[in-house]
Amino acid sequence: MTDSTSTAATERPAPVRGAGLGVLLALLATVVWSGSFVVARALHDTVPPVQAAFWRWIVALVAVAPLAARETWRQRHLIRRHLRFLTLASLLGITVYNTLVNQAGTATSAGNMGMIMAASPVLMALFARLGGNRLGPRRTTGMVIACTGVLLLVSKGSLTPDLAVGDLWVMAAAVCFASYSALLKRRPAELGGLAFLFTTFVLGALMLLPAYGISLAVQGGFEPTTGTVGPLVHVGVLSSALAFFAWNKAVTLIGAARAGIVYYLQPVCVALLSYALLGEQLGLLGAASMVLILGGVALSSAR
């Protein structure tokens, strides 16, 4: 097979119905994940980051197990065959990504986390381009417009943005998430979505276990109250089980680069949640940034 044939095969568009569903699923995941940044920030002084990440995935496992355990057992031979790939995907998307977000929540605002994470689509598009996919002028233009809106939000209109230590943690998380999304393209087609989800949750939690033990020994445990257990259940069920399933399916249907365009809506969702829950005003700069982000997403996502 020639390079041109291979590229054409990877770029063959999904059916309109499948593409529409993929965009909706990517949007669902993006909206749900926006709330998780608020939760990470809310727990920063009550639950150590590693412990919050560990229990998030334990809750997610309990939520997914009734639906996925039987399929996972049936496909155990496939899982063993692709264990190296599954381990890498789990490390990037489950173990490291969420832990970095929780760590960032100790040193920066939820708004900053959402805005910086919105840079992930740039990396997703870059990985797709390196993989041989052609993005096309319309999608590239939309991506540039949306990225301009994100940069405007992050910099607050200044040429010298002041980044906190937590902002650097979020940047590292963005790299992990983009890498995980790019890996989804290589997911074995015969491995079911629920089996993949359940397996990555198991592997991710297992790889977190040593760090969890160290955190307990050094920092001590957290007090299980409504204010700590409730948010962990929220991120475990919605931001983990539901959102990851929706995102994985979206990437399967429309690809990481196009799903990443929808992910540009992350800072918009975070800003709206901050306004609704915390009473934070968007301001003229925030409104202008949202117009750019929404316009870029619309341009890139249109067929």
Side-chain angles (χ1 to χ4, degrees):
M1 180 181 290
T2 64
D3 290 343
S4 60
T5 305
S6 175
T7 302
T10 57
E11 280 297 292
R12 184 178 295 123
V16 174
R17 183 177 301 176
L21 176 61
V23 170
L24 289 175
L25 289 173
L27 179 60
L28 171 63
T30 298
V31 171
V32 173
W33 276 330
S34 299
S36 69
F37 292 110
V38 178
V39 172
R41 181 61 179 165
L43 293 176
H44 79 277
D45 57 353
T46 55
V47 183
V50 172
Q51 296 181 38
F54 179 78
W55 284 109
R56 167 181 178 159
W57 298 117
I58 295 300
V59 171
L61 278 172
V62 173
V64 171
L67 301 174
R70 182 175 299 179
E71 179 181 307
T72 304
W73 177 253
R74 284 200 306 264
Q75 297 193 326
R76 61 190 182 278
H77 302 298
L78 277 172
I79 292 170
R80 277 201 296 267
R81 186 188 311 166
H82 300 287
L83 187 59
R84 185 176 301 178
F85 165 79
L86 291 167
T87 300
L88 179 59
S90 303
L91 177 67
L92 291 171
I94 307 301
T95 305
V96 179
Y97 160 63
N98 182 245
T99 306
L100 288 174
V101 170
N102 290 342
Q103 183 65 43
T106 66
T108 192
S109 66
N112 272 21
M113 285 191 281
M115 288 185 285
I116 294 172
M117 274 301 299
S120 296
V122 176
L123 296 172
M124 294 179 202
L126 177 61
F127 290 149
R129 188 68 186 90
L130 292 175
N133 293 352
R134 296 181 61 187
L135 301 179
R138 187 193 70 245
R139 192 178 301 177
T140 302
T141 302
M143 186 179 71
V144 170
I145 293 173
C147 190
T148 300
V150 172
L151 292 175
L152 187 63
L153 271 174
V154 172
S155 66
K156 299 179 176 63
S158 171
L159 296 177
T160 56
D162 183 20
L163 294 176
V165 174
D167 297 335
L168 300 178
W169 287 115
V170 185
M171 289 180 182
V175 174
C176 287
F177 180 70
S179 302
Y180 168 79
S181 297
L183 273 178
L184 291 178
K185 180 181 177 181
R186 301 180 180 274
R187 194 188 91 188
E190 64 272 24
L191 183 62
L194 286 174
F196 174 80
L197 196 71
F198 187 73
T199 303
T200 54
F201 285 0
V202 170
L203 293 173
L206 286 175
M207 286 186 280
L208 263 175
L209 195 54
Y212 176 74
I214 294 173
S215 176
L216 280 179
V218 174
Q219 299 172 295
F222 63 91
E223 184 180 356
T225 65
T226 304
T228 57
V229 175
L232 290 175
V233 171
H234 170 83
V235 295
V237 175
L238 296 181
S239 300
S240 300
L242 175 62
F244 267 83
F245 178 81
W247 181 260
N248 293 351
K249 184 65 175 176
V251 171
T252 300
L253 289 172
I254 61 177
R258 194 171 181 192
I261 296 297
V262 180
Y263 196 79
Y264 275 120
L265 292 171
Q266 181 94 314
V268 178
C269 297
V270 173
L272 291 176
L273 283 174
S274 299
Y275 174 77
L277 300 177
L278 306 177
E280 296 179 356
Q281 299 298 317
L282 299 179
L284 184 60
L285 180 64
S289 300
M290 283 191 184
V291 170
L292 288 173
I293 295 169
L294 291 171
V297 170
L299 178 62
S300 296
S301 300
R303 294 192 61 84

